[in-house]
Amino acid sequence: MRVALDAMAGPAPPEAIVASALQTLRANKDLRLTILGVPEVPRSLLGDLGKARDRVQTFPASQFIGPHEDAAEALRFRPDTSVGRAWQLLAEKKVDALVTLGPLRAVVTAGMRLRRLIPRVRQPGLAAFLPTQSVGCLLMDAGAHDEAAPANLYQYGVMGALFRRYLQRLEHPRVGILQTNDERVDREAERLLDAAPDWMSYCGAIDARSAFKGEADVLVCSGGMGRLVCQTCGSVAGILNQTPSPQVPMDSPRPLLGFDGICIVVPGERGLDEALTLALRMGQVDLNKKIAQSLETGPLLGSPAEHSHQADTFLKKDAERE
């Protein structure tokens, strides 16, 4: 598994990110790293790698995008950003996966500019793990897109359920909708999810108060709502000075599902080892191929031209918002 690591992303210094990643590299013989954002790996870190030194290389990238910058403008006028270069490597099949500490808006915008979506996927969604009274729940979308049409919610449900089935060995995932104020969207999404494949089940609309009771294994919602849920969980965890659940730490890696290529966003440096390991496992089970096969046999939700138009709309809104 060839992984591009964006070492310029996030609040941690690149050297700390590289040091953490090399520990994972040493423990996983199937992992090869292409590190962006550092001219070379410090010799002090290479000394302990032994033969693993042959599985790490650097790739030039002299610029980065900050969390409060205009992502669309930065990608348009600064071609040497680390996240932009990483996506280019993924598009050219020179790496199999991208791991980055963000910022999320720049990661999503860079991917959408390259139109690297799995066939039939209308828009990607960010998957985040939430604490519940049982073993946790996968929330989609956790902030990649502010809005979601019924077709998007259906695809989030399928992609999230496949993730839980093949990565977490949950044979029959239950998918629920986090209730919105738009009854039309909820009703149409329910109709689509009711006709979902037999290996997953639709368990109904769930209100915010019941979201943490463990009634669903996958919860789908718009990115705007998902972002608010994650921020609330993070705030509560900070107040308590502990993670809400030992099974679901809030700095767990968040896969960006729907892109043709593995992309994982890490909320904090502590989740880097888990993110690299997750990238390996997603490649081993060939999750993206399973997503493509499942959507191929499901309802046709728009033509390729409509999907391209939706990507154009996202990029236009992103530029206007910034």
Side-chain angles (χ1 to χ4, degrees):
M1 166 68 73
R2 303 165 301 170
V3 178
L5 173 64
D6 182 3
M8 296 186 78
E15 293 76 13
I17 295 174
V18 172
S20 178
L22 292 182
Q23 291 181 5
T24 307
L25 177 78
R26 191 182 300 111
N28 291 274
K29 295 182 179 180
D30 295 328
L31 180 63
R32 305 184 71 89
L33 281 179
T34 297
I35 302 174
L36 297 94
V38 293
E40 62 180 12
V41 178
R43 293 182 180 179
S44 59
L45 298 178
L46 287 174
D48 297 331
L49 286 181
K51 293 183 179 180
R53 295 177 65 170
D54 297 334
R55 294 187 282 114
V56 59
Q57 63 179 351
T58 59
F59 190 88
S62 61
Q63 301 168 319
F64 72 98
I65 301 176
H68 304 297
E69 286 192 75
D70 181 334
E73 181 175 315
L75 289 164
R76 189 162 54 245
F77 295 108
R78 284 152 50 191
D80 201 33
T81 62
S82 55
V83 67
R85 293 297 190 197
W87 270 110
Q88 287 177 0
L89 291 175
L90 197 60
E92 295 167 1
K93 304 292 185 181
K94 293 180 179 178
V95 296
D96 307 302
L98 161 61
V99 172
T100 176
L101 277 74
L104 176 61
R105 179 59 55 184
V107 178
V108 176
T109 302
M112 295 296 285
R113 282 168 61 90
L114 291 174
R115 301 292 197 277
R116 286 195 51 79
L117 295 177
I118 295 171
R120 288 204 177 195
V121 170
R122 294 174 64 91
Q123 68 183 28
L126 186 70
F129 297 94
L130 295 181
T132 68
Q133 293 178 356
S134 54
V135 294
C137 172
L138 190 72
L139 179 74
M140 282 192 67
D141 172 22
H145 293 265
D146 289 339
E147 301 173 354
N152 302 134
L153 296 177
Y154 167 78
Q155 292 188 343
Y156 291 164
V158 172
M159 292 190 290
L162 284 167
F163 183 93
R164 298 223 64 175
R165 190 179 194 206
Y166 289 101
L167 273 298
Q168 299 176 333
R169 299 181 180 180
L170 196 61
E171 282 299 316
H172 198 75
R174 302 163 300 161
V175 178
I177 298 175
L178 192 57
Q179 277 184 327
T180 70
N181 293 324
D182 192 330
E183 293 184 3
R184 182 194 64 82
V185 171
D186 288 349
R187 188 165 55 250
E188 178 62 16
E190 285 183 345
R191 184 187 68 80
L192 291 169
L193 285 168
D194 265 333
D198 293 339
W199 51 264
M200 57 182 277
S201 62
Y202 174 60
C203 61
I206 297 174
D207 61 33
R209 290 174 297 180
S210 303
F212 301 98
K213 292 182 179 180
E215 297 177 1
D217 303 305
V218 178
L219 266 179
V220 299
C221 63
S222 69
M225 180 178 290
R227 187 184 305 112
L228 180 61
V229 171
C230 290
Q231 289 172 346
T232 301
C233 287
S235 297
V236 172
I239 292 171
L240 297 177
N241 196 29
Q242 61 182 11
T243 55
S245 166
Q247 292 86 11
V248 191
M250 292 309 297
D251 58 356
S252 291
R254 299 178 180 181
L256 194 52
L257 302 179
F259 280 116
D260 183 16
I262 298 169
C263 179
I264 300 176
V265 181
V266 193
E269 182 191 348
R270 290 185 301 174
L272 188 56
D273 173 75
E274 189 180 353
L276 292 169
T277 303
L278 178 59
L280 279 170
R281 294 181 59 217
M282 289 175 66
Q284 289 166 352
V285 303
D286 209 351
L287 182 65
N288 282 354
K289 182 178 180 180
K290 289 177 170 59
I291 290 174
Q293 290 172 340
S294 185
L295 294 181
E296 179 68 27
T297 58
L300 181 61
L301 303 173
S303 65
E306 289 175 306
H307 297 177
S308 180
H309 174 71
Q310 188 167 12
D312 289 334
T313 301
F314 165 80
L315 294 172
K316 181 179 179 181
K317 286 184 177 179
D318 188 61
E320 291 174 349
R321 177 173 55 250
E322 301 288 357

